[in-house]
């Protein structure tokens, strides 16, 4: 069973950047599809991005395309979310999630993930 810990959340001004990390323990991430999700106060959780476990495939929500980049470092057992040109509407708690499946695909549906981290707060405000 894999345990996930997110980090890197912070308060940042609009237009700024942050890099979130999702560090895994208990199992190698090599065989896991990873997704990033976020939830703003009073709103439902929404998908942000995902990355496959084989033959790297990535996907992004329309709201973050061109601004966010997901990547993985299997040697460090960590997945990253680089967030640039941040907007106030990017504010929320960011969660990473994992599903054990060695595939060249990933999914933006939270229901397909079995393992979740505790989240890290991102606040974009001047």
């Amino acid at each position: 069973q894999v345990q996930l810990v997110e980090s890197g959340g912070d308060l940042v001004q609009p237009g700024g950047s942050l890099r979130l990390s999702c560090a895994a323990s208990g199992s190698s991430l090599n065989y896991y599809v990873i997704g990033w999700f976020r939830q703003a106060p009073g709103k439902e959780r929404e998908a942000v991005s995902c990355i496959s476990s084989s033959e790297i495939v990535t996907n992004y929500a329309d709201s973050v395309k061109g601004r966010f980049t997901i990547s993985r470092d299997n040697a460090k057992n960590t997945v990253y979310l680089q967030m640039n040109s941040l907007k106030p509407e990017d504010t929320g708690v960011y969660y990473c999630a994992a599903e054990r499946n060695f595939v060249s695909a990933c999914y933006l549906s939270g229901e397909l993930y079995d393992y979740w981290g505790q989240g890290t707060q991102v606040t974009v405000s001047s």
Side-chain angles (χ1 to χ4, degrees):
Q1 185 170 346
V2 65
Q3 292 83 43
L4 305 173
V5 177
E6 303 93 335
S7 63
D10 204 346
L11 169 64
V12 63
Q13 292 187 345
S17 297
L18 283 175
R19 188 177 80 158
L20 304 184
S21 299
C22 173
S25 62
S27 183
S28 170
L29 279 184
N30 292 28
Y31 299 97
Y32 286 81
V33 176
I34 303 296
W36 280 99
F37 298 81
R38 67 187 181 189
Q39 187 166 21
K43 294 187 176 181
E44 293 186 355
R45 183 184 66 198
E46 64 175 346
V48 175
S49 182
C50 64
I51 187 166
S52 65
S53 47
S54 172
E55 298 180 7
I56 297 301
V57 171
T58 59
N59 202 356
Y60 298 90
D62 288 343
S63 59
V64 306
K65 280 181 181 177
R67 301 188 298 121
F68 290 13
T69 303
I70 190 171
S71 62
R72 62 191 303 153
D73 186 338
N74 287 343
K76 294 184 178 180
N77 225 24
T78 301
V79 172
Y80 303 99
L81 184 68
Q82 178 67 42
M83 306 188 296
N84 299 328
S85 302
L86 283 161
K87 304 175 181 179
E89 50 265 43
D90 294 318
T91 294
V93 179
Y94 282 69
Y95 301 90
C96 65
E99 170 68 12
R100 185 176 175 88
N101 197 1
F102 193 64
V103 291
S104 54
C106 69
Y107 8 93
L108 291 175
S109 174
E111 288 72 23
L112 297 177
Y113 292 88
D114 286 336
Y115 306 100
W116 292 79
Q118 85 292 344
T120 185
Q121 176 71 46
V122 172
T123 303
V124 185
S125 174
S126 55

